[in-house]
Amino acid sequence: MRKIVIEGGNKLYGSIKIQGAKNSVLPLLSASILNEGISVFQNVPNISDVAAAMKILRHIGCTAELSGGALTVDASVISTTEIPDGLMREMRSSVIFLGAILARCGEVTLSYPGGCELGPRPIDMHIKALRELGADIHEDAGKIRCIIPAGRRLIGRRIDFRGPSVGATENAMIASVFAQGTTVIANAAKEPEIWDLQMYLRKLGADIEGAGTSVITVRGIDTCAMNVTHTIIPDRIVTGTYLCAVAAAGGEVLLTDCGPTHIESLLTVLRGWGCEINTSKTSIHIKTAAPRTASGSVVAEPYPAFPTDAAPTLVAAASAVSGNFVFVEKIFSERFKYCRELEKLGAEITLFENSAMVSGGKALCGASVDATDLRGGAALAVAGLCASGITEIGEIQHIERGYEDLVRDLRSVGANIMYMNTPERSESAGAAKRTEKPDGAGGGQGRLYA
Ligand code: EPZ
């Protein structure tokens, strides 16, 4: 089993190029199904969720090839409208394919996406939007089948969401591109990824406006057959991860190819802790000149409020610096699962209902821990950077869903971090084998982390 192994204590110096946004590329790949031409996406992160999305595209008849950060999709032929259970299980957010296949083919069948490590992930708002646009929805035996009645198109109308949902907003935007008439999506999510989707849909010829506000308007067109290129926006959550790593471990790092305005809420918090942060249009320079003191609180709510996905690594950073900090979570019921693992490293966290109070400044000590989810796993790495001794992180498949190469990036700024293949629990307890990453950025020789 492959683990991430960290020997804490190093400050971080250098620069890191930020990858493209996981939560942008996934809806964009779904939207590419609308296009009978060729879509080329640039700045695509090489992560397992993208691999899973490519499998789904190929399964329904598209070609999808990723090379050097460019992902080319040819959706000219769609041969099936059903996504099998196995592919649905590989990526929880596969529900994002619902609207695109329905709009392009007139029907779609997929199995209910299960809950995930963050708790139940209902899709009632997705279903509501498609039903209100005129689709017949059949749910049985764990499957959802959406059908546009024969000879009809989806009919544009006003859709009022009870609250902002990123995925439901995206499904409604995509499904309404071919609807007859105008669709107004009210109480829409405002995340930057919604804006990125709107910009791509416009390149396909869609008549769409309002992304980034709570009202998005889509005037239906008949078809899309364009050869287009689209560059994915930077990943604001990965940006936040590395900002928290520096705030926790100390040092001076320049993050390039990122979107500072997309992570303003975190920049405000870290400046309040005493981090020196300067930004340009596409870069963030963070420096920890003085000791940091974490004080205050954040409430994780829909954008532009503090993002729930940026909370775990900030909790890790709050554990490493002095002071007390309170996190209130209003999006996911199981967001704080990773805190139990942080406590194995010595973090002092009090959980109460949907909040976590971190008492920082305790000395963190290396330990063997397991990633509970994508961002929780990244939080363990941030804490490991500050823990004395060795931290081993297992279950890193969670981390690989959203980070192109956490080890490569942190190692490039001086962290003592590497991948290690350890015997499977069922194998004899042999010595852990060092592992070289294909590009040789792995454990190296001599001292474990030299
Ligand atoms: C997106 O998930 C992101 N995933 C999540 O990132 C992110 O945490 C989340 O938005 C919130 O910002 C992708 O974009 C692929 P929601 P999504 O619909 O769309 C409830 C990561 O780590 N809800 O905005 O699934 C829901 O339970 C992932 O990168 C319903 O009740 O989130 C939640 O409480 C984790 N019914 C709230 O709305 C529905 O039909 C917001 O969820 C849909 C959602």
Side-chain angles (χ1 to χ4, degrees):
M1 172 173 65
R2 202 156 80 123
K3 290 189 172 187
I4 290 177
V5 182
I6 304 170
E7 181 172 17
N10 287 14
K11 291 193 174 185
L12 307 179
Y13 295 95
S15 69
I16 300 175
K17 179 183 182 301
I18 297 298
Q19 69 184 58
K22 165 179 90 77
N23 292 349
S24 193
V25 66
L26 297 178
L28 288 170
L29 291 179
S30 168
S32 71
I33 293 167
L34 298 178
N35 185 18
E36 296 176 45
I38 307 283
S39 299
V40 179
F41 297 103
Q42 307 278 7
N43 197 33
V44 173
N46 186 12
I47 56 178
S48 59
D49 267 10
V50 165
M54 290 169 67
K55 279 186 193 172
I56 290 173
L57 288 174
R58 289 172 182 151
H59 172 80
I60 66 171
C62 304
T63 63
E65 297 304 329
L66 177 60
S67 168
L71 205 169
T72 301
V73 178
D74 177 349
S76 52
V77 174
I78 304 294
S79 54
T80 178
T81 61
E82 178 160 1
I83 303 178
D85 292 358
L87 291 182
M88 283 299 293
R89 268 196 297 276
E90 268 196 54
M91 184 178 72
R92 200 229 132 257
S93 44
S94 309
V95 70
I96 197 59
F97 285 92
L98 206 57
I101 300 173
L102 176 68
R104 171 73 188 273
C105 307
E107 61 174 19
V108 58
T109 304
L110 45 81
S111 48
Y112 254 103
C116 74
E117 307 79 17
L118 301 177
R121 302 292 290 274
I123 60 167
D124 58 296
M125 295 160 78
H126 300 248
I127 299 299
K128 160 198 164 68
L130 299 183
R131 179 176 282 126
E132 290 185 355
L133 287 171
D136 291 334
I137 312 284
H138 307 280
E139 300 173 64
D140 66 300
K143 285 199 182 288
I144 311 157
R145 181 163 164 68
C146 306
I147 303 170
I148 302 175
R152 306 248 312 261
R153 290 169 60 179
L154 292 179
I155 309 291
R157 55 163 288 173
R158 180 182 173 89
I159 298 170
D160 283 290
F161 283 130
R162 70 169 185 278
S165 158
V166 174
T169 299
E170 290 164 344
N171 256 327
M173 288 165 72
I174 294 168
S176 58
V177 167
F178 293 156
Q180 190 175 329
T182 299
T183 299
V184 175
I185 304 167
N187 216 351
K190 306 176 192 174
E191 274 71 1
E193 293 77 25
I194 303 281
W195 176 87
D196 208 15
L197 176 60
Q198 172 178 283
M199 300 319 283
Y200 168 70
L201 290 173
R202 280 182 176 171
K203 290 179 181 176
L204 297 187
D207 181 350
I208 180 170
E209 62 187 4
T213 75
S214 56
V215 180
I216 296 173
T217 303
V218 185
R219 295 171 194 82
I221 59 174
D222 294 333
T223 59
C224 299
M226 311 286 279
N227 294 331
V228 296
T229 297
H230 184 81
T231 299
I232 313 281
I233 59 170
D235 195 308
R236 59 196 168 97
I237 306 303
V238 171
T239 302
T241 298
Y242 296 141
L243 289 169
C244 290
V246 179
E252 181 174 0
V253 169
L254 177 69
L255 301 181
T256 63
D257 298 79
C258 62
T261 58
H262 295 162
I263 198 70
E264 275 294 351
S265 56
L266 177 62
L267 298 182
T268 302
V269 170
L270 295 179
R271 285 180 172 126
W273 287 15
C275 296
E276 284 180 28
I277 296 175
N278 293 293
T279 62
S280 73
K281 192 166 179 304
T282 60
S283 69
I284 300 173
H285 180 268
I286 179 170
K287 180 179 179 182
T288 57
R292 279 80 65 211
T293 303
S295 61
S297 63
V298 285
V299 181
E301 290 183 298
Y303 195 90
F306 187 88
T308 175
D309 299 335
T313 49
L314 189 64
V315 168
S319 304
V321 302
S322 63
N324 298 328
F325 204 80
V326 176
F327 294 79
V328 179
E329 168 66 32
K330 293 207 171 174
I331 306 282
F332 294 119
S333 59
E334 303 297 322
R335 174 97 264 179
F336 292 119
K337 220 182 250 178
Y338 62 94
C339 292
R340 294 283 87 88
E341 296 299 305
L342 280 179
E343 287 174 334
K344 293 178 183 173
L345 298 169
E348 197 170 302
I349 304 169
T350 307
L351 297 178
F352 178 71
E353 293 180 352
N354 66 335
S355 66
M357 208 278 274
V358 181
S359 305
K362 310 293 179 295
L364 300 182
C365 301
S368 182
V369 291
D370 284 330
T372 54
D373 63 270
L374 167 55
R375 309 304 174 182
L380 296 175
V382 169
L385 296 174
C386 315
S388 60
I390 307 294
T391 295
E392 283 193 13
I393 305 171
E395 302 302 323
I396 64 169
Q397 69 279 4
H398 290 294
I399 298 175
E400 292 169 335
R401 282 190 43 224
Y403 292 85
E404 197 165 64
D405 195 332
L406 193 70
V407 168
R408 173 200 67 197
D409 289 347
L410 290 173
R411 192 179 176 81
S412 74
V413 290
N416 235 333
I417 183 171
M418 62 176 282
Y419 293 106
M420 180 181 284
N421 284 325
T422 56
E424 291 301 328
R425 288 194 176 86
S426 56
E427 287 172 19
S428 63
K433 293 191 292 294
R434 291 182 187 145
T435 174
E436 281 293 338
K437 287 268 292 170
D439 61 3
Q445 300 308 318
R447 184 170 151 73
L448 188 56
Y449 306 105

